[in-house]
Each structure stands twice: as C-alpha cells, then as structure tokens.
C-alpha cells in the first residue's frame, strides 16, 4: 500500500548540483517557509525531517505531509508564483540547501536534465500522497483510517493470523491531526476497536493487533 503522509522522493541527482545552492542548518521547531510568503527558492532536505502544516482562520492546524531527507520541497509555490498557503517547519534538526530563482533558471534546469526528471518524480509522489489522503478521508471512517495509518507506518509483515505488537511512531495528538480528527474522536475509535477485539492494550507507545485478519480487512475496506 502506498503511503499517505510521508514524502519519500529520495533522488541521488540532487547531490551533484549542491554547488549551485547554499546550505543552512535548522533546529527542531524552526520555521523554514511561512504561510503567506512568496517562495523564490527551491529547498532540498539533505538531512532531518520537515512537516507541512495548513492553519485555519480559527487557528486549527492540519498536518498535510512529512518530508523525508533527500527530498525537494517548496516547488509548487516556486513555480506557480503565488503566495504559499502552508507552513514548512522542522520536526527534526535539519540541513537544507536553498536554490535561488536565478540558479534554477540560469543553470539548474537548462544544464541538468536529470533534475527535471527528479522534479517530475517529486511532483508525482506528492500528488499520489495527497490523493491517498483525500481518498482515505472520503471513503474510510476514523477507525479504518487509524488502521490504515498503523499498517502503513508499521513495516510489519501481517500476512499471518498471529497477533502483532506495533510501536507508535508519533504522538497521539499528531496522529489525530494527521487523520483530520479531534483527539476525543480518535480515542473513541480506539475504544470501539478494542471492544471489537481488533486492538488490545492501546497505549501512547504501542498497540497489540489482536485480530490481524479483521485489522487487514479494515485497512483494505
């Protein structure tokens, strides 16, 4: 199953053009691009992790995606020339290379066709990820979306009927945010799945998948 929250567009092509960019180290929690800004650079994440957040007029936040190392970001507002509507913030300490508009158009695109291919791959990956999110929110209930999230992030082999214990990769508030629900709604879905025998001992750190067959049924529903 394809992911619906992490962008893994790692491409070795960018390592050969970093001499055209300038690096900067960012601390955890530091904002890289703020909503409302004009984006005049392309950003390449060499190491660390960045998350993309959309904030409502009332101040509610929704995590749209996480950007993993080896991936470009900021390309959509860069090429559209419109103010960005989302904020990019470091969720882990990061090293980021910044390509100016001049370097992109005078050197990067004309002289490095492999970068154009990489850009297309990045765009396609992000479209796929956002499409997966949209489909999940429109077609699955909260319990099914939670099971899908756990399945995608676990990396475990669940093709047997044996019980599987999964380690949670995120805090509960971030899981609720990513799934687009309030924490109270998420906790209710967890309780319902425990009553149905799908989960056992769901804590802030881990969960036991007690009924693997039913769990997979909910994932692929």
């Amino acid at each position: 199953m394809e992911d619906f929250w992490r962008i893994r567009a790692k491409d070795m092509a960018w390592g050969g053009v970093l001499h055209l960019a300038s690096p900067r180290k960012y601390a955890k929690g530091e904002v890289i691009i703020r909503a409302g800004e004009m984006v005049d650079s392309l950003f390449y994440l060499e190491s660390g992790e960045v998350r993309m957040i959309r904030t409502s007029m009332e101040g509610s936040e929704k995590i749209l995606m996480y950007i993993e190392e080896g991936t470009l970001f900021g390309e959509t507002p860069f090429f559209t020339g419109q103010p960005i509507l989302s904020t990019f913030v470091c969720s882990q300490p990061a090293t980021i290379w910044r390509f100016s508009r001049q370097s992109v158009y005078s050197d990067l695109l004309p002289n490095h066709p492999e970068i154009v291919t990489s850009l297309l791959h990045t765009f396609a990956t992000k479209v796929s990820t956002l499409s997966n999110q949209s489909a999940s929110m429109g077609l699955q209930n909260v319990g099914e979306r939670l099971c899908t999230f756990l399945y995608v992030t676990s990396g475990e082999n669940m093709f047997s009927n044996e019980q599987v214990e999964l380690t949670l990769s995120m805090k509960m508030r971030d899981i609720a945010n990513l799934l687009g629900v309030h924490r109270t709604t998420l906790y209710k879905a967890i309780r319902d799945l425990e009553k149905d025998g799908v989960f056992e001992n769901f804590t802030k750190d881990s969960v036991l998948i007690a009924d693997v067959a039913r769990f997979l049924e909910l994932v692929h529903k």
Side-chain angles (χ1 to χ4, degrees), residues 40-131:
D40 289 326
S41 303
L42 293 180
F43 298 83
Y44 175 73
L45 180 61
E46 181 181 31
S47 63
E49 182 184 72
V50 172
R51 65 182 175 187
M52 180 181 180
I53 304 170
R54 181 70 62 89
T55 305
S56 70
M57 294 293 291
E58 294 77 26
S60 300
E61 289 188 349
K62 171 71 172 70
I63 300 172
L64 297 180
M65 63 179 67
Y66 282 81
I67 310 295
E68 292 195 342
E69 63 181 42
T71 304
L72 193 76
F73 64 96
E75 70 280 8
T76 300
F78 176 86
F79 286 112
T80 62
Q82 299 295 319
I84 191 170
L85 299 177
S86 302
T87 295
F88 286 88
V89 60
C90 287
S91 47
Q92 299 293 338
T95 299
I96 297 171
W97 292 77
R98 183 169 180 160
F99 294 86
S100 69
R101 183 172 294 274
Q102 181 179 354
S103 68
V104 170
Y105 283 107
S106 65
D107 197 339
L108 195 63
L109 297 182
N111 301 318
H112 297 275
E114 72 279 8
I115 292 300
V116 177
T117 300
S118 179
L119 275 169
L120 292 173
H121 180 248
T122 300
F123 276 124
T125 300
K126 291 181 179 178
V127 168
S128 176
T129 297
L130 293 175
S131 295

Side-chain angles (χ1 to χ4, degrees), residues 12-220:
M12 300 302 293
W14 291 94
V17 296
L18 293 182
H19 61 282
L20 300 174
S22 55
R24 179 183 162 184
K25 293 187 180 297
Y26 289 81
K28 181 178 180 179
E30 191 170 357
V31 173
I32 307 154
I33 308 173
R34 195 176 301 277
E37 294 181 350
M38 297 295 294
V39 178
D40 289 326
S41 303
L42 293 180
F43 298 83
Y44 175 73
L45 180 61
E46 181 181 31
S47 63
E49 182 184 72
V50 172
R51 65 182 175 187
M52 180 181 180
I53 304 170
R54 181 70 62 89
T55 305
S56 70
M57 294 293 291
E58 294 77 26
S60 300
E61 289 188 349
K62 171 71 172 70
I63 300 172
L64 297 180
M65 63 179 67
Y66 282 81
I67 310 295
E68 292 195 342
E69 63 181 42
T71 304
L72 193 76
F73 64 96
E75 70 280 8
T76 300
F78 176 86
F79 286 112
T80 62
Q82 299 295 319
I84 191 170
L85 299 177
S86 302
T87 295
F88 286 88
V89 60
C90 287
S91 47
Q92 299 293 338
T95 299
I96 297 171
W97 292 77
R98 183 169 180 160
F99 294 86
S100 69
R101 183 172 294 274
Q102 181 179 354
S103 68
V104 170
Y105 283 107
S106 65
D107 197 339
L108 195 63
L109 297 182
N111 301 318
H112 297 275
E114 72 279 8
I115 292 300
V116 177
T117 300
S118 179
L119 275 169
L120 292 173
H121 180 248
T122 300
F123 276 124
T125 300
K126 291 181 179 178
V127 168
S128 176
T129 297
L130 293 175
S131 295
N132 289 339
Q133 279 194 36
S134 178
S136 177
M137 294 187 72
L139 300 176
Q140 295 181 308
N141 61 39
V142 178
E144 292 164 352
R145 296 211 303 273
L146 174 59
C147 289
T148 300
F149 168 83
L150 293 172
Y151 180 80
V152 169
T153 59
S154 68
E156 294 284 347
N157 186 343
M158 297 188 200
F159 294 104
S160 69
N161 290 322
E162 297 180 1
Q163 296 182 340
V164 177
E165 185 173 7
L166 303 181
T167 300
L168 299 186
S169 59
M170 298 171 61
K171 295 180 180 178
M172 293 298 292
R173 69 183 181 207
D174 289 334
I175 295 175
N177 187 317
L178 189 67
L179 298 181
V181 299
H182 192 275
R183 269 183 287 178
T184 302
T185 304
L186 178 60
Y187 289 134
K188 181 181 183 304
I190 291 171
R191 289 195 299 270
D192 289 342
L193 288 166
E194 288 178 330
K195 289 178 183 177
D196 291 342
V198 180
F199 293 164
E200 286 184 10
N201 194 30
F202 200 115
T203 71
K204 64 182 180 65
D205 299 313
S206 65
V207 56
L208 179 68
I209 309 300
D211 188 338
V212 174
R214 177 57 179 157
F215 174 82
L216 293 175
E217 181 182 330
L218 293 171
V219 170
H220 298 291

